[in-house]
Each structure stands twice: as structure tokens, then as C-alpha cells.
Amino acid sequence: MSGVTPISPFASAKLGPITLRNRVIKSATFEGVVPDSLVTQELIDYHRKVAAGGTGMNTVAYLAVSPDGRPNGECLYQRDEVIPGLRKLTDAIHAEGAKASVQIGHAGLVANSKSNGVTGFGPSRRFNPLSFSFTPAAKESDIERVIEDFAKTALCAEQGGFDAVEVHLGHNYLLSSFLAPGLNDRQDKWGGSLENRARLSRECLRSVREAVGGRLAIVAKLNMVDAIPGGLKIDESLEVAKMIEADGTLDALVLTGGSSYGNPMFLFKGDGPRKDFAAHLPPFLRLGFKLVGKKFMPDLPFEEAYFESMARRYLDELDLPVILLGGINRLDTIEKAIADGYAFVQMGRALLREPDLLLKMQEGSQPDGICIHCNRCMPSIYTGTRCVLIDPDPIQTSGPVA
Ligand SMILES: Cc1cc2nc3c(=O)[nH]c(=O)nc-3n(C[C@H](O)[C@H](O)[C@H](O)COP(=O)(O)O)c2cc1C
Ligand code: SF4
């Protein structure tokens, strides 16, 4: 025995200016219950249930920084009209003893312009297979606007009662795609060298920090690897993390990987839910998906805490608090992560499958989650995100809360 008392994952912990009741955060899993881009009772119920299950903080997914920054039209975006609903949502999460965070971002190349009714932009012109159209390259004025929009969105989150924001720097959403040499062909100060490719992420974080720093906790979700040809690789990602650490704009960094644009299964591991996904595609895309589905959405071997070996490099080389994410299902994994020095863990599917899992772990009645990583919840984002093994039926929404 070393005589050092291990830190309990279920003891309270500071995250920048706020204190969470424990070290487990519900990761952002797009809820798919806001057809009018306004908060609904179903969104509130979803988060109330998870908070009542014992999380330290819930991450609401997702508040786009502008209408064109939504992955699709049925997604919250920053504006005055959304604030009263956000207040009700955060009140419900707080009433259960958890803190509330919201993921903020711009979907960039992953935004479906047809569904949004407005065209967005990426670092360079690229094809979007979901809208079957090209996303143009951002103009300088678009870039200036998006940096301001991140500040506005952080302020909107604060007015909506959130305790934290999570800036999306992953999954080849806009800021992540600027980091990727194979997606960013720009010749100006936003492309080329790593310093240039990282500029937009750093500027957006600076803008968020200036808006709400010291009052709200600021977290970023950064890709370690995009796992696509020409994608960001771990050595460069680690350099970006060091630049961000030196900027002093973040309170913690959560590490992820994969690409909603080109390699979605890398985010999750486990079974590729091709059949469920195809069912949500328009008929003309369904045929194409039949041909390429196995390549785009393969089955990948799942293992507990599958990102840990990559995340460890950041833990070793940064002073910034690091949050471990990816395939965490067991109490012993959580305990080991905290003992190893991760500040927090984030959990997604395990809490979709069992919103009360943390309570069961704390009581000692169940140390392991029962999610089977079938990923059939993933396409349920189009019909109300849920574990379809428990709730096969789509969620009917009742309209925006008054
Ligand atoms: C249904 C579903 C929706 C998701 N939506 C988002 C999202 O909006 N933003 C995001 O960063 N990650 C999203 N994710 C990824 C999760 O936050 C998390 O990174 C991933 O599921 C791995 O964690 P887990 O093994 O604990 O589930 C989603 C995952 C699922 C299953
Ligand atoms: S559908 Fe349910 S069991 Fe399957 S991965 Fe999602 S949460 Fe886990």
C-alpha cells in the first residue's frame, strides 16, 4: 500500500470556475428532438433523466453558432428566441444536482444545406453527400463572422443558464476541418502550415474566453486523429493542444477522433448500423449507400476505453486538465482513469442505455454497463435519440416549450 488515498470519481471536483458533484460528464449525444430549433419538453425530459441518474454534468448537443452551422435544420442555434427554453432546460438539470454544459460549434462540411435552407462553408470547396451539393470555401468575411458567432453563442449559453460550454474541435466539423491538411487547401493565413490551420480554432476559443471566461467553464472536444486520408494526425493534434494550452483559453480538453464527414465509425467502434442508417436516407441516396455503406460505416472492433492509449500522450505532455472519452462502460475503468490523472471522464452510449448507471455503480449494485455497442442509437438522431433496444418507437415531440 502506498498510503495515498485514491481520488474517488464520485467526489466533487473543480472544472475551471465551477464545481461538479463528481467526475463523470454525460458526453454530447445529439438528441434529435428539436424540430423547430427550439427547446422541447422531450429535450428537457431526456436531460432530467440523465442528471437524476447521477452525472456531475450533462452536455447538451448541440447549439450551433448560426443557422448554417447546424448539421441539419432540426437543431438548436444561437439567437434570443432560444434563451427562455434553454433556461427551462438548465433549471431541470440543476434541479437534479448536475451542472449543465452545451456543445457549441459550426458543422462546416457536415452541414446539410438543403435541410438548413441556407448554405454554409468549409475551409475549401467539398462535396456533401447528404445534401448532394457542394459546400463552398469560406470567404474572409465568413471567417470573421464565425469568430464573432462563437462569442455570441457562449453569451447565449450563459443567458440560458449553462455552467459550461464545450467547443467542438472534432469530427471534421468546421474548426476540425480547418485543421486537416487534406480538407483545407487554403493559401491564405487560414491554411498551409499547422500554425495557420490552427488559427481559426484558436481565434474562436479566444473569442469564447473573452465572452464568458472565468464565469463559465470552457472545454474543447478535439480530434486526436481524423482517421481519413489527409486527416489530422496525432502528432499535429498534440501540437495544436499545446498551442491552445499556451493561449490559456481552456479549462479542460476532451479527446475524441474520427470524422462525421468521412469515417463516422471511428468515433464509436462496434457495429456499423448500416440498415438503420439507410432507412433514414432519401430513396435516391439509399441505393448509393447500399454500394458504399460497408466502406463508409464498417464494423470496427470495440474495446473498453478505446481512446485511452492515444489520450495518454496528452495526459503526459499537457498540464491542462484532460477528460477521457470513448467506450467507458465500467466502474473500474472510471476509477483507473481518475487514478491515472484524467480530470474527468465523459460517457455517451452507456448512459443512453442506462441513464441511472452511475447511481447503480455508486450503490454497488452494478459495476458494469450493459450497452452492447450495436450503435443502433446513432441513426435514431433522426427520430429522437434513444437506445432503440429499450425504446424501439420514434419519439413524438410536443412543440417548443412556452
Ligand atoms: C446517438 C449519438 C449522438 C452523438 N452526437 C454527438 C454530438 O452531437 N456531438 C459530439 O461531439 N459527439 C456526438 N456523439 C459522440 C459521443 O459524444 C461520444 O464521443 C461517442 O459516443 C463515444 O463515447 P461513448 O463510447 O461513451 O459513447 C454522439 C454519439 C451518439 C451515440
Ligand atoms: S442502441 Fe443501445 S445498446 Fe446499442 S449502442 Fe446505442 S445505447 Fe448501446
Side-chain angles (χ1 to χ4, degrees), residues 27-30 61 103 168 171 221 268 306 325-327 348-349 377 385:
S27 78
T29 52
F30 182 66
Q103 185 174 64
H168 204 340
H171 306 164
K221 185 169 182 177
F268 305 104
Y306 49 80
L325 158 88
R349 287 165 294 177
C377 48
T385 302

Side-chain angles (χ1 to χ4, degrees), residues 227-301:
I228 58 166
L232 185 71
K233 295 197 167 66
I234 191 161
D235 289 341
E236 286 201 334
S237 164
L238 193 51
E239 283 311 304
V240 173
K242 287 178 184 170
M243 292 178 200
I244 292 172
E245 176 174 70
D247 292 339
T249 47
L250 273 192
D251 296 308
L253 185 66
V254 57
L255 295 162
T256 184
S259 168
S260 300
Y261 188 64
N263 190 356
M265 287 316 297
F266 196 87
L267 274 79
F268 305 104
K269 320 293 185 199
D271 305 334
R274 293 179 288 278
K275 210 166 141 202
D276 295 52
F277 184 78
H280 297 291
L281 291 174
F284 73 100
L285 282 180
R286 219 172 288 162
L287 186 65
F289 185 75
K290 263 204 165 138
L291 300 172
V292 298
K294 199 139 197 194
K295 191 158 187 283
F296 181 67
M297 220 170 245
D299 302 330
L300 293 180

Side-chain angles (χ1 to χ4, degrees), residues 349-350 352-353 370-378 386-389:
R349 287 165 294 177
L352 274 182
R353 180 74 176 84
I370 57 170
C371 168
I372 56 166
H373 332 299
C374 65
N375 295 317
R376 293 188 56 205
C377 48
M378 195 180 144
R386 61 206 186 278
C387 174
V388 299
L389 305 192

Side-chain angles (χ1 to χ4, degrees), residues 59-349:
T59 312
V60 172
Y62 123 130
L63 182 63
V65 301
S66 53
D68 55 295
R70 292 173 293 175
N72 65 56
E74 301 194 357
C75 174
L76 301 174
Y77 65 97
Q78 167 267 128
R79 64 208 194 282
D80 287 347
E81 204 187 341
V82 82
I83 293 171
L86 292 179
R87 268 271 162 208
K88 292 196 168 117
L89 171 61
T90 54
D91 284 349
I93 296 171
H94 290 151
E96 299 296 345
K99 295 283 192 243
S101 176
V102 62
Q103 185 174 64
I104 65 175
H106 189 294
L109 298 173
V110 183
N112 184 331
S113 58
K114 289 229 168 78
S115 167
N116 287 340
V118 47
T119 303
F121 43 81
S124 306
R125 187 170 185 266
R126 290 281 182 281
F127 186 67
N128 180 324
L130 281 179
S131 61
F132 221 70
S133 60
F134 280 90
T135 305
K139 299 188 290 292
E140 186 67 29
S141 56
D142 295 324
I143 293 179
E144 280 164 23
R145 196 255 285 168
V146 93
I147 295 169
E148 275 174 33
D149 283 345
F150 267 92
K152 285 187 195 161
T153 310
L155 288 169
C156 176
E158 182 175 36
Q159 287 169 341
F162 284 96
D163 309 283
V165 289
E166 179 179 279
V167 179
H168 204 340
L169 302 186
H171 306 164
N172 286 160
Y173 274 44
L174 183 73
L175 304 186
S176 158
S177 63
F178 266 77
L179 293 171
L183 296 175
N184 180 347
D185 319 322
R186 302 180 75 94
Q187 310 281 326
D188 58 8
K189 67 175 183 184
W190 308 102
S193 67
L194 182 62
E195 176 108 25
N196 280 358
R197 283 181 276 126
R199 194 182 306 279
L200 183 58
S201 296
R202 295 170 74 190
E203 287 296 318
C204 291
L205 288 175
R206 214 185 303 273
S207 164
V208 168
R209 185 96 205 165
E210 278 168 18
V212 299
R215 303 194 300 278
L216 268 61
I218 305 172
V219 175
K221 185 169 182 177
L222 175 70
N223 261 18
M224 298 180 284
V225 291
D226 294 346
I228 58 166
L232 185 71
K233 295 197 167 66
I234 191 161
D235 289 341
E236 286 201 334
S237 164
L238 193 51
E239 283 311 304
V240 173
K242 287 178 184 170
M243 292 178 200
I244 292 172
E245 176 174 70
D247 292 339
T249 47
L250 273 192
D251 296 308
L253 185 66
V254 57
L255 295 162
T256 184
S259 168
S260 300
Y261 188 64
N263 190 356
M265 287 316 297
F266 196 87
L267 274 79
F268 305 104
K269 320 293 185 199
D271 305 334
R274 293 179 288 278
K275 210 166 141 202
D276 295 52
F277 184 78
H280 297 291
L281 291 174
F284 73 100
L285 282 180
R286 219 172 288 162
L287 186 65
F289 185 75
K290 263 204 165 138
L291 300 172
V292 298
K294 199 139 197 194
K295 191 158 187 283
F296 181 67
M297 220 170 245
D299 302 330
L300 293 180
F302 177 91
E303 67 181 280
E304 181 77 8
Y306 49 80
F307 282 147
E308 202 282 327
S309 58
M310 281 195 281
R312 184 162 287 268
R313 284 189 60 187
Y314 297 71
L315 187 64
D316 290 345
E317 295 192 36
L318 299 176
D319 291 325
L320 191 62
V322 176
I323 302 174
L324 183 66
L325 158 88
I328 300 175
N329 284 290
R330 301 198 315 243
L331 178 58
D332 63 353
T333 312
I334 300 172
E335 287 172 338
K336 181 165 187 319
I338 302 305
D340 286 353
Y342 292 99
F344 295 89
V345 296
Q346 281 201 1
M347 295 168 71
R349 287 165 294 177

